[in-house]
Amino acid sequence: MVKNSDGKIWIGDCPIRQVLDRFGDKWSILVIELLSHEGKLRFSEIAQTIGDISQKMLTVTLRSLESDGLIIRQFFPEIPPRVEYELSDLGRSLVPHIQQLTSWGQEHMEAIKENRRRFEEKQSKG
């Protein structure tokens, strides 16, 4: 976070937003978690394991993760061509943090569900 001249926190153009945006999307964390457990996977294996991701969205996600240096894409000039994806060292360094967030989510899921239920009930009455 960045402080402006008034000493107030300003996050409008903070560089960390670009990094955090990567993990705010629907698929990046799933892909990183999958590769952390499975090692190298082909595009089709990632798609089959995740299930409900479109080919286009998986392509966009993999390219974004590759551009950030979190995964490595290896192309094999065979017939048919083969492409494998695996976590880079940088991507592997992120895994413990994702696992902590996952643990937090599992620990607090029931409370979150209950809070959502109460919120929805309150909204429908109001």
Side-chain angles (χ1 to χ4, degrees):
M1 290 193 210
V2 177
K3 291 190 177 186
N4 64 17
S5 59
D6 299 345
K8 294 182 179 179
I9 293 176
W10 170 251
I11 59 172
D13 58 356
C14 180
I16 195 65
R17 286 183 68 184
Q18 294 176 16
V19 174
L20 294 176
D21 282 349
R22 173 74 60 238
F23 310 113
D25 72 36
K26 188 174 180 178
W27 306 110
S28 292
I29 288 180
L30 291 175
V31 170
I32 291 169
E33 267 292 295
L34 177 61
L35 291 174
S36 76
H37 291 284
E38 300 297 327
K40 291 181 184 182
L41 289 174
R42 296 175 71 168
F43 184 95
S44 60
E45 294 170 320
I46 297 170
Q48 288 172 343
T49 303
I50 292 178
D52 58 344
I53 187 169
S54 70
Q55 184 172 346
K56 180 180 179 181
M57 194 71 243
L58 181 55
T59 299
V60 167
T61 300
L62 291 169
R63 283 185 183 161
S64 296
L65 292 170
E66 183 183 10
S67 76
D68 286 349
L70 298 171
I71 65 171
I72 298 166
R73 177 184 184 271
Q74 188 171 7
F75 176 78
F76 297 91
E78 304 168 345
I79 297 180
R82 179 170 53 106
V83 179
E84 291 180 344
Y85 298 89
E86 66 179 312
L87 289 178
S88 66
D89 289 340
L90 184 61
R92 280 190 290 282
S93 74
L94 181 60
V95 171
H97 303 287
I98 292 172
Q99 290 171 339
Q100 281 185 313
L101 183 58
T102 301
S103 293
W104 182 91
Q106 289 171 337
E107 181 180 339
H108 298 286
M109 181 50 69
E110 291 306 315
I112 291 169
K113 286 179 181 177
E114 179 60 23
N115 289 333
R116 287 178 181 173
R117 186 195 61 72
R118 276 190 259 156
F119 180 83
E120 290 296 320
E121 188 176 286
K122 188 176 173 182
Q123 293 296 311
S124 65
K125 289 180 181 178

